[in-house]
Amino acid sequence: MQKIRLDVVGDPIGHSKSPVIHETVLDGLGLDYEYRKVRIEKGHLPEYLDEVRKKGIDGFNLTMPHKQDILPYLDFIDEEALVFDAVNTVKVKDGKLLGYNTDGRGCVWAIEEKGYTCKGKNIVIFGAGGVVSTVALKMVLEEASSITVLNRTLASAETLAKNVLDRTGTKINIGELTIANMKAALTGCDILINGTPLGMEGIDSDFEDFSFLDELKGGALVYDLIYNPPMTNLLKESQRRGFEVVNGFGMLIYQGLLADEVFLDRKLSFAPFKEKIEKKLKNFKNFKK
């Protein structure tokens, strides 16, 4: 079989863990491949795309700041990627660039792995950054019963809500990230998702008061999109209260595995790969426990 040539493109790119994910899959399948990290500054995608065609690159993953900038250059954009207005996976086929977004599905896979479903559920999300926009939109597509987004800056939550309404016709609830609002929102919540950097390695700030967790009903899932550290204080406090918890490793790994299905045009058995990738990521030289 001809060598498969894949890249991950972004700026900065040195910290990317994509090679760990994709090399584990490609090695496991016994394929001949090359997977490169390529630093491309914002505004320089056209030059890189020329290289893609000249060197016969089979596909590439995209990270910041290119997930939206790539859109005008694509010949095809998957339906979910159109809703998210962002692409993280591009397959090159017959000279055409085909764009997909596996972030949302990666998030849902991580939730379903714990035995939960988003359909018909009340979901509360802390934060309103870029990843939260994708998560909120995906929750709409998954037919969640209600979605509430709380953020320290209300204007950012309002922008996110307008984006969700414009793209899906669905209205979501928003508010400031205050203890009072958190407690009110978590009454009846089925799935709590933290999309803020609070508790992340290298970030000085964390939740100052975890009493809001006492409002969660039994059987709720607490999902922290942070994976460094693997157990944030939010997850520790949630687990201490008896809630099921999941960290950001799942979304990180599943979005990569789903991208490999796109690149290879084949279904993969995720479980064995996920276990191997988790072990490698925990020993990743840029990953601090």
Side-chain angles (χ1 to χ4, degrees):
M1 184 177 178
Q2 186 176 348
K3 177 182 280 191
I4 299 170
R5 290 180 167 82
L6 302 170
D7 292 339
V8 57
V9 178
D11 184 25
I13 198 62
H15 70 288
S16 175
K17 298 168 182 63
S18 287
V20 176
I21 299 171
H22 301 289
E23 289 171 4
T24 301
V25 173
L26 297 167
D27 283 334
L29 295 174
L31 300 175
D32 185 17
Y33 71 90
E34 178 184 30
Y35 191 95
R36 307 182 303 166
K37 291 182 183 180
V38 183
R39 178 175 174 263
I40 302 295
E41 295 179 358
K42 187 174 178 64
H44 289 271
L45 272 177
E47 295 94 319
Y48 169 70
L49 295 177
D50 286 341
E51 180 184 348
V52 165
R53 294 183 175 92
K54 289 176 183 176
K55 292 191 174 182
I57 303 298
D58 296 294
F60 51 94
N61 299 115
L62 292 150
T63 185
M64 298 300 292
H66 303 305
K67 289 187 176 184
Q68 289 184 311
D69 292 353
I70 190 66
L71 297 175
Y73 304 101
L74 300 175
D75 299 292
F76 164 83
I77 303 176
D78 180 66
E79 187 175 343
E80 277 201 3
L82 281 171
V83 173
F84 300 155
D85 195 34
V87 160
N88 74 338
T89 302
V90 175
K91 180 184 175 97
V92 184
K93 185 174 182 180
D94 299 327
K96 296 186 180 299
L97 304 177
L98 315 179
Y100 302 84
N101 191 309
T102 63
D103 287 331
R105 281 179 289 156
C107 176
V108 170
W109 267 83
I111 291 171
E112 292 180 343
E113 181 184 41
K114 290 292 183 177
Y116 289 75
T117 181
C118 302
K119 185 174 182 178
K121 297 299 187 292
N122 299 314
I123 297 172
V124 176
I125 307 174
F126 294 164
V131 68
V132 172
S133 178
T134 295
V135 171
L137 286 163
K138 182 59 176 175
M139 294 303 108
V140 172
L141 297 182
E142 290 293 308
E143 300 179 9
S145 178
S146 71
I147 301 168
T148 300
V149 173
L150 302 179
N151 192 56
R152 282 181 169 179
T153 306
L154 186 58
S156 296
E158 290 172 341
T159 299
L160 188 151
K162 183 179 184 304
N163 183 52
V164 172
L165 182 63
D166 290 345
R167 295 187 175 280
T168 67
T170 297
K171 184 178 180 180
I172 65 172
N173 308 306
I174 61 170
E176 291 186 34
L177 190 66
T178 64
I179 287 293
N181 285 345
M182 292 155 78
K183 288 183 175 182
L186 292 187
T187 303
C189 171
D190 298 296
I191 301 173
L192 167 62
I193 301 173
N194 177 41
T196 77
L198 295 174
M200 183 186 293
E201 177 77 25
I203 300 294
D204 293 333
S205 55
D206 200 345
F207 293 98
E208 297 177 0
D209 178 359
F210 290 95
S211 63
F212 58 85
L213 292 171
D214 296 329
E215 304 303 318
L216 275 175
K217 65 181 183 179
L221 174 70
V222 179
Y223 183 6
D224 199 330
L225 297 181
I226 293 170
Y227 53 81
N228 184 14
M231 281 296 287
T232 59
N233 287 326
L234 174 64
L235 294 185
K236 289 176 183 177
E237 289 292 329
S238 300
Q239 198 170 62
R240 187 173 67 81
R241 288 168 168 81
F243 298 113
E244 187 73 60
V245 301
V246 60
N247 65 21
F249 264 136
M251 181 175 177
L252 174 70
I253 295 171
Y254 282 130
Q255 63 81 27
L257 292 172
L258 288 161
D260 283 327
E261 288 192 334
V262 171
F263 292 142
L264 302 175
D265 197 24
R266 61 188 286 187
K267 289 291 182 183
L268 300 174
S269 178
F270 287 177
F273 289 124
K274 183 174 184 286
E275 185 177 357
K276 291 178 182 178
I277 293 166
E278 279 186 329
K279 288 180 180 178
K280 289 182 179 181
L281 284 175
K282 288 175 181 177
N283 294 315
F284 193 80
K285 65 181 181 179
N286 289 337
F287 182 85
K288 298 178 182 178
K289 291 186 179 180

